[in-house]
């Protein structure tokens, strides 16, 4: 005797809840009741077996037939979920509202450093297992992967020379450490941070171009003079010293920025990345920030907490472009620029021993990450233009 339909429906609902399926949770949060057939489709799309001892209400043939249409529906669904984080250009507007400012008078160190033995660090190409406690409003990694597939946004095309799609996220997706495939986790992390890095570099290059133009100008307007004063002050350079300003107002190659973000945040899975949008282990001595669990009792620093991950990228670049301990890095980059060479992340990594208390071991770890993940492929990448690029 067949079980009542509502019993089977409840079984499907419990299965969907058990696996925390994004599409089901989306509909449930909006009070939409799904049919058994719709629930079966959701389960099958996510590779989850239908409830035991129950006969599927749809055949595999029917499921295959409906797959394409379901993908389009899923794309529309995901777009609705992610509208608040995926609109090109919105990050530029949000960044101006960020109140978390990195203290440039301090040197940041990797969050993975053992506080009891600062020199004992073993490089492991794996992810941290921090629990992500953020709520449903944060997009899930599996849904982001589906969205990127729909957008045809993949690293293979970028490595072959295609421009990077201007897809900007405000947070690391929820559940990134739940993805079973490590390479998928890494690729997703790169896909998220690469557009932000390129966009920041783009802003720097626009600023740099204006600096060069004004440095050669015989007559400078009052407006441009005020702008220059602001720029000199921001880069901590004496007004009028254009040579030093141009050494500082320059890009950080994507390969290096990605490698440091990967190391410092465990490829986006550390507590600091998930709860504080902090990708580079930047320290602060102010009241705002996250306290490292391994911090010594006599220490008072915190890891800087940011409103959005782009603010972390911006603070990181400001740090490398202004702090006195990175002078050699800036000199090396300046020489590459003058010789019309591609600014190499591998070469600049050699000058980052002061970024961490483990010194030269840190630079070796960065070089391994760059080489093992072929990150130099992204040093020539460009960002597709958007209608709302901030040129200021």
């Amino acid at each position: 005797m067949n079980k009542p339909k509502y019993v089977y429906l409840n079984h499907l609902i419990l299965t969907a809840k058990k696996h925390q399926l994004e599409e089901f949770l989306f509909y449930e949060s909006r009070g939409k009741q799904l049919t058994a057939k719709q629930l079966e489709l959701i389960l099958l799309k996510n590779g989850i077996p239908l409830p035991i001892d129950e006969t599927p209400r749809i055949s595999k043939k029917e499921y295959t037939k409906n797959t394409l249409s379901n993908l389009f529906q899923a794309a529309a669904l995901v777009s609705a979920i992610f509208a608040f984080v995926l609109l090109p250009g919105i990050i530029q507007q949000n960044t101006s509202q960020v109140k978390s400012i990195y203290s440039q008078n301090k040197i940041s160190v990797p969050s993975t450093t053992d506080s009891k033995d600062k020199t004992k660090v073993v490089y492991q190409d794996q992810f941290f297992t921090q629990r992500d406690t953020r709520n449903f409003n944060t997009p899930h990694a599996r849904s982001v992967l589906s969205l990127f597939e729909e957008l045809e946004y993949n690293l293979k095309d970028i490595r072959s020379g295609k421009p990077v799609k201007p897809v900007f996220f405000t947070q690391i997706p929820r559940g990134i450490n739940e993805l079973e495939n490590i390479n998928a986790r890494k690729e997703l992390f790169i896909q998220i941070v690469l557009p932000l890095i390129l966009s920041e570099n783009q802003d720097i290059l626009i600023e740099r171009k204006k600096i060069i133009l004004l440095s050669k100008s015989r007559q400078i307007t009052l407006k441009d003079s005020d702008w220059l004063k602001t720029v000199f002050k921001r880069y901590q350079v004496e007004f009028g010293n254009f040579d030093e300003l141009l050494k500082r107002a320059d890009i950080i190659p994507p390969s290096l920025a990605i490698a440091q973000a990967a190391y410092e945040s465990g490829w986006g899975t550390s507590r600091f990345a998930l709860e504080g949008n902090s990708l580079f282990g930047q320290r602060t001595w102010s009241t705002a920030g996250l306290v490292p669990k391994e911090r010594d009792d006599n220490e008072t620093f915190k890891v800087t907490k940011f409103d959005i991950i782009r603010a972390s990228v911006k603070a990181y670049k400001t740090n490398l472009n202004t702090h006195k301990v990175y002078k050699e890095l800036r000199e090396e980059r300046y020489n590459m620029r003058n010789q019309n060479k591609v600014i190499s992340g591998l070469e600049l990594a050699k000058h980052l021993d002061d970024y961490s208390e483990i010194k030269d071991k840190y630079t070796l770890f960065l070089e391994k990450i760059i080489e093992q993940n072929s990150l130099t492929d992204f040093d020539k990448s460009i960002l597709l233009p958007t209608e709302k690029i901030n040129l200021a």
Side-chain angles (χ1 to χ4, degrees):
M1 185 174 183
N2 291 332
K3 297 180 180 180
K5 288 185 178 181
Y6 72 87
V7 174
Y8 178 60
L9 180 62
N10 287 339
H11 205 165
L12 290 171
I13 292 173
L14 289 174
T15 303
K17 285 184 176 181
K18 176 183 177 181
H19 292 275
Q20 291 291 292
L21 298 182
E22 194 81 13
E23 188 173 351
F24 168 76
L25 292 175
F26 174 77
Y27 285 122
E28 184 185 49
S29 67
R30 284 154 179 76
K32 180 176 176 59
Q33 295 183 350
L34 301 177
T35 65
K37 180 178 178 181
Q38 290 171 326
L39 285 166
E40 286 174 339
L41 282 171
I42 292 175
L43 292 174
L44 289 172
K45 283 192 295 182
N46 286 274
I48 298 173
L50 298 180
I52 300 174
D53 297 329
E54 296 289 353
T55 304
R57 301 308 197 259
I58 59 173
S59 65
K60 291 184 177 179
K61 182 177 181 181
E62 184 180 356
Y63 165 68
T64 304
K65 180 179 179 181
N66 292 332
T67 298
L68 289 177
S69 62
N70 290 333
L71 283 175
F72 285 111
Q73 294 173 7
L77 167 69
V78 173
S79 298
I81 297 175
F82 299 134
F84 72 102
V85 293
L86 293 178
L87 293 177
I90 196 170
I91 293 299
Q92 284 86 351
Q93 299 173 6
N94 289 345
T95 301
S96 62
Q97 302 172 3
V98 173
K99 298 179 181 179
S100 301
I101 302 175
Y102 172 55
S103 175
Q104 299 175 18
N105 297 324
K106 306 296 180 181
I107 306 174
S108 56
V109 298
S111 57
T112 53
T113 303
D114 186 344
S115 60
K116 296 182 180 179
D117 184 359
K118 298 297 184 180
T119 61
K120 185 179 180 181
V121 177
V122 179
Y123 173 74
Q124 293 181 324
D125 192 8
Q126 61 183 16
F127 296 89
F128 298 111
T129 56
Q130 301 283 357
R131 183 179 179 183
D132 192 346
T133 58
R134 294 174 294 169
N135 58 33
F136 179 70
N137 288 332
T138 305
H140 197 284
R142 288 190 293 267
S143 296
V144 176
L145 288 174
S146 298
L147 177 67
F148 284 170
E149 185 176 350
E150 289 294 323
L151 294 175
E152 297 183 352
Y153 173 36
N154 62 78
L155 297 186
K156 183 178 179 180
D157 288 344
I158 296 172
R159 292 180 190 278
S160 65
K162 290 187 177 181
V164 178
K165 294 183 182 296
V167 181
F168 301 130
F169 278 78
T170 58
Q171 295 177 307
I172 296 295
R174 180 167 49 90
I176 189 172
N177 53 354
E178 298 172 10
L179 298 178
E180 296 180 0
N181 188 303
I182 291 180
N183 288 329
R185 299 182 192 179
K186 289 183 176 182
E187 290 206 0
L188 178 60
F189 180 76
I190 294 173
Q191 286 173 300
I192 290 169
V193 300
L194 181 57
L196 298 175
I197 293 168
L198 292 177
S199 183
E200 283 298 314
N201 279 344
Q202 189 176 64
D203 288 346
I204 292 174
L205 289 176
I206 292 173
E207 183 179 65
R208 179 183 174 85
K209 184 177 181 180
K210 186 173 181 179
I211 293 171
I212 294 175
L213 180 64
L214 293 177
S215 69
K216 298 178 180 179
S217 178
R218 293 184 178 181
Q219 292 184 340
I220 300 178
T221 65
L222 180 59
K223 181 179 179 180
D224 286 336
S225 179
D226 290 339
W227 180 84
L228 279 174
K229 289 178 182 178
T230 302
V231 173
F232 273 105
K233 182 178 181 180
R234 176 154 46 84
Y235 282 100
Q236 302 176 23
V237 178
E238 182 182 359
F239 184 79
N241 189 346
F242 283 99
D243 287 340
E244 180 60 28
L245 182 60
L246 289 174
K247 288 180 182 179
R248 300 190 178 207
D250 210 338
I251 67 168
I252 304 299
S255 59
L256 182 60
I258 294 172
Q260 286 196 266
Y263 182 87
E264 300 291 344
S265 72
W267 292 91
T269 65
S270 72
R271 177 170 66 96
F272 306 121
L274 298 177
E275 297 180 13
N277 297 314
S278 182
L279 303 181
F280 298 94
Q282 294 145 306
R283 288 183 174 184
T284 180
W285 277 255
S286 66
T287 55
L290 299 173
V291 178
K293 295 179 180 179
E294 303 82 5
R295 189 184 71 179
D296 290 340
D297 294 336
N298 62 334
E299 296 281 4
T300 60
F301 73 88
K302 297 178 182 178
V303 174
T304 308
K305 186 176 181 178
F306 298 94
D307 291 346
I308 54 177
I309 54 178
R310 175 160 187 162
S312 177
V313 177
K314 183 183 289 289
Y316 155 76
K317 294 194 175 186
T318 299
N319 184 28
L320 293 193
N321 282 335
T322 60
H323 203 288
K324 61 182 180 181
V325 299
Y326 308 124
K327 181 178 179 180
E328 290 184 3
L329 179 147
R330 296 191 292 267
E331 292 283 352
E332 180 69 22
R333 181 181 61 186
Y334 187 67
N335 292 333
M336 292 177 186
R337 179 71 71 185
N338 288 340
Q339 296 172 20
N340 293 321
K341 293 182 178 179
V342 174
I343 297 178
S344 169
L346 263 178
E347 292 300 318
L348 294 186
K350 302 181 191 309
H351 303 286
L352 282 174
D353 51 309
D354 281 324
Y355 197 93
S356 166
E357 294 179 1
I358 61 175
K359 298 293 183 180
D360 57 334
K361 290 184 179 180
Y362 182 70
T363 63
L364 291 176
F365 294 157
L366 293 182
E367 291 171 3
K368 285 183 180 179
I369 294 174
I370 292 173
E371 291 174 343
Q372 292 176 359
N373 297 280
S374 302
L375 298 183
T376 53
D377 292 348
F378 305 118
D379 282 347
K380 293 183 179 180
S381 297
I382 60 173
L383 189 67
L384 276 172
T386 64
E387 295 180 359
K388 295 184 179 181
I389 280 256
N390 181 7
L391 301 180

